[in-house]
Amino acid sequence: MRRNHDNTQRRSCYVFLCCLIALAVCGCTGIGLPGTSPSTGQTSGTAPTLSNLTISPNPTNVGNIINLTAMYLDPDADLGFGVAAVSVDGESLSRIAFRTTYPSGMLTIPMAVNYYSRPSDVRISLKIRDSSGNWSNAVSTVLSIR
């Protein structure tokens, strides 16, 4: 039992470190006011839109890696270096960097289910920010943690 916990903990740390590395490589710091360009403080272009958020596997267990998958549309095609903001039950946002080259499609973001979670149903919300600093609408769904 202890070995499974250690392996799961290592896997979660690995995902966290990968996200930090992605942030460093992409140059996405997540600093700045939502919906504004970090360099000018002004928005430019059109915000992306999200729909049809799903989570797999669902239900899941504490310590597992889940995939958040949503359809996106980015009229300006400026999601090159995007930031996803994920909230669990309305708590503070976790930011995850991603990269895409298409103006529309399916976005999949891996996320570890926190060790401090307890068996319950939680609402997961997702929104994304494009390279111009525009935030999308938020989409959400329920994740069952067992």
Side-chain angles (χ1 to χ4, degrees), residues 28-51:
C28 300
T29 62
I31 298 173
L33 300 173
T36 62
S37 170
S39 61
T40 64
Q42 300 295 317
T43 59
S44 61
T46 304
T49 56
L50 290 175
S51 62

Side-chain angles (χ1 to χ4, degrees), residues 45-49 72-79 102-104 130:
T46 304
T49 56
Y72 73 91
L73 175 61
D74 182 30
D76 298 336
D78 61 350
L79 269 178
Y102 302 106
S104 66
D130 63 19

Side-chain angles (χ1 to χ4, degrees), residues 19-114:
C19 291
L20 286 178
I21 291 168
L23 281 170
V25 170
C26 293
C28 300
T29 62
I31 298 173
L33 300 173
T36 62
S37 170
S39 61
T40 64
Q42 300 295 317
T43 59
S44 61
T46 304
T49 56
L50 290 175
S51 62
N52 303 325
L53 177 63
T54 61
I55 299 174
S56 66
N58 191 5
T60 192
N61 296 312
V62 173
N64 282 352
I65 306 273
I66 58 171
N67 286 311
L68 306 176
T69 303
M71 297 300 294
Y72 73 91
L73 175 61
D74 182 30
D76 298 336
D78 61 350
L79 269 178
F81 296 104
V83 175
V86 180
S87 173
V88 178
D89 274 348
E91 296 294 322
S92 61
L93 298 173
S94 297
R95 295 180 186 226
I96 303 168
F98 66 90
R99 182 175 167 88
T100 184
T101 56
Y102 302 106
S104 66
M106 189 175 297
L107 179 65
T108 300
I109 299 171
M111 182 179 126
V113 177
N114 193 331

